[in-house]
């Protein structure tokens, strides 16, 4: 148990706090001075790089994550239990899976949802480009890493903590939320959405309960927001995955479809769906996961709306920014096209 006070924001951290935090983590060092800069593109959390000066086994830089300073986004993080989930992941689940994540020096949260994560700096790694998308090489790497998240705990019913199982939203409640928010989504982005894309937003809403209820196979720990903004390529690791604030217990193919559908140019994705999914499927077999290729493909197609659903809901409940608007449009458009290409609505209807 740490004796460190919990800072409410980056301004609450000083050199003495950093020194004690490092020593509690097993790093023998003293911080004598530091500077800070804001990094990343997150909307629900705030990421700060600490550049350190001092003595001993001192890392040159660390990254701290805190609640968003935007009151709307912060309240969303509190209401959706995002901050609690991320701290829980690093405290209790990181060691149970094999996906590459940054080293965590300190993780703490209080009853008022003030939290801090201090982690290794993944520089000179580069954050994935959500707007520009990724190439196939990066896609293959992400799909392999995804198998290392799902495989170790596939079908593991001990993942029963309320912070994970509470993400299994009641289908009726989820549909009510989607139906409430989707008209505002279409209205806000009317000039940027094609008639075909608007029709897909409505079709997904119409069949949302079937979409949520059709999968009856083994479940696993899923990231929910497995996309390029939450990935760091290069640096200490070929790929490290961050932002574990939405974790749930559900169908692994949700993450797979969400990533591919939101991350690749639609033309490139359409030529490569099976190849990318095969990379994930083959890596899963290393964990003796029992799923046929036919079921893997079926639920990959079934979950194609995942990115569209996220774009519709998230865009309406976090603070609006220009970059956020561009991001949600990219996610929605790519995912809508994936649904068309894979005949997803028909697959959902068939159950």
């Amino acid at each position: 148990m740490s004796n460190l006070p919990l800072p409410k924001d980056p301004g609450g951290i000083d050199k003495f706090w950093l020194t004690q935090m490092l020593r509690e983590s097993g790093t023998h060092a003293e911080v004598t001075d530091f500077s800070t800069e804001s990094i990343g593109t997150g909307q629900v959390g705030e990421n700060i790089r600490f550049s350190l000066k001092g003595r001993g086994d001192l890392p040159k830089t660390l990254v701290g994550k805190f609640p968003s300073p935007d009151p709307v986004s912060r309240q969303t993080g509190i209401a959706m239990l995002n901050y609690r989930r991320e701290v829980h992941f690093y405290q209790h689940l990181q060691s149970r899976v094999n996906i590459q994540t940054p080293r965590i020096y300190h993780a703490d949260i209080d009853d008022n949802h003030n939290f801090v994560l201090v982690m290794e700096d993944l520089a000179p790694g580069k954050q994935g480009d959500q707007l520009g998308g990724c190439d196939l090489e990066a896609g293959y790497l992400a799909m392999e890493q995804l198998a290392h998240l799902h495989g170790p705990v596939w079908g593991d019913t001990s993942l029963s903590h309320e912070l994970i199982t509470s993400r299994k939203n009641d289908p009726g409640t989820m549909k009510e939320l989607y139906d409430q928010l989707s008209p505002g989504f279409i209205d806000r982005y009317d000039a940027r959405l094609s008639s075909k894309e608007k029709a897909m937003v409505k079709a997904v809403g119409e069949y949302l309960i079937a979409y949520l209820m059709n999968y009856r196979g083994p479940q696993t720990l899923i990231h929910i927001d497995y996309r390029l903004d939450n990935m760091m390529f290069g640096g200490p690791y070929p790929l490290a995955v961050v932002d574990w604030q939405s974790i749930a217990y559900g169908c692994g193919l949700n993450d797979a479809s969400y990533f591919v559908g939101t991350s690749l140019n639609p033309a490139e994705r359409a030529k490569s769906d099976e190849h990318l999914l095969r990379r994930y499927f083959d890596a899963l077999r290393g964990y003796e996961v029992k799923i046929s290729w036919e079921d893997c493909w079926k639920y990959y197609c079934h979950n194609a709306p995942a990115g569209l659903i996220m774009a519709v809901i998230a865009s309406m409940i976090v603070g609006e920014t220009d970059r956020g608007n561009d991001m949600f449009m990219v996610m929605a458009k790519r995912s809508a096209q994936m649904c068309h290409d894979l005949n997803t609505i028909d697959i959902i209807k068939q159950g």
Side-chain angles (χ1 to χ4, degrees), residues 2 16 36 108 199 202 206 228 231 257 293 334 342:
S2 174
F16 303 107
T36 63
D108 194 15
K202 294 175 182 178
E206 183 178 354
L228 291 171
M231 299 177 182
S257 297
W293 168 251
R334 289 175 182 164
L342 298 177

Side-chain angles (χ1 to χ4, degrees), residues 121-276:
D121 190 351
L122 298 172
K126 300 296 184 183
Q127 183 182 26
D129 181 1
Q130 192 68 56
L131 301 184
C134 69
D135 60 17
L136 274 178
E137 182 179 356
Y140 285 134
L141 189 58
M143 293 296 272
E144 286 178 1
Q145 281 294 311
L146 187 58
H148 297 319
L149 168 64
H150 296 161
V153 289
W154 190 277
D156 187 343
T157 56
S158 73
L159 295 172
S160 58
H161 193 283
E162 62 180 354
L163 286 174
I164 303 172
T165 56
S166 65
R167 286 292 309 202
K168 294 169 64 177
N169 295 298
D170 172 72
T173 302
M174 188 69 170
K175 178 168 172 53
E176 182 179 347
L177 179 64
Y178 187 93
D179 289 347
Q180 176 186 347
L181 297 176
S182 57
F185 175 84
I186 292 175
D187 182 64
R188 179 189 293 178
Y189 301 112
D190 180 69
R192 301 179 68 172
L193 292 167
S194 69
S195 57
K196 186 170 73 170
E197 290 160 350
K198 294 172 192 175
M200 184 57 70
V201 171
K202 294 175 182 178
V204 168
E206 183 178 354
Y207 294 100
L208 189 59
I209 290 181
Y211 166 82
L212 293 170
M213 294 186 67
N214 282 352
Y215 180 72
R216 299 177 183 85
Q219 300 186 83
T220 188
L221 181 66
I222 57 177
H223 187 284
I224 291 288
D225 200 18
Y226 195 74
R227 58 186 177 84
L228 291 171
D229 268 355
N230 297 329
M231 299 177 182
M232 295 292 291
F233 293 88
Y237 316 105
L239 170 61
V241 180
V242 297
D243 283 0
W244 295 90
Q245 58 200 19
S246 303
I247 55 172
Y249 188 58
C251 174
L253 278 303
N254 180 281
D255 279 345
S257 297
Y258 183 87
F259 169 74
V260 176
T262 61
S263 302
L264 277 81
N265 173 282
E268 186 67 42
R269 190 266 314 146
K271 296 186 295 184
S272 308
D273 277 312
E274 290 196 37
H275 300 295
L276 287 160

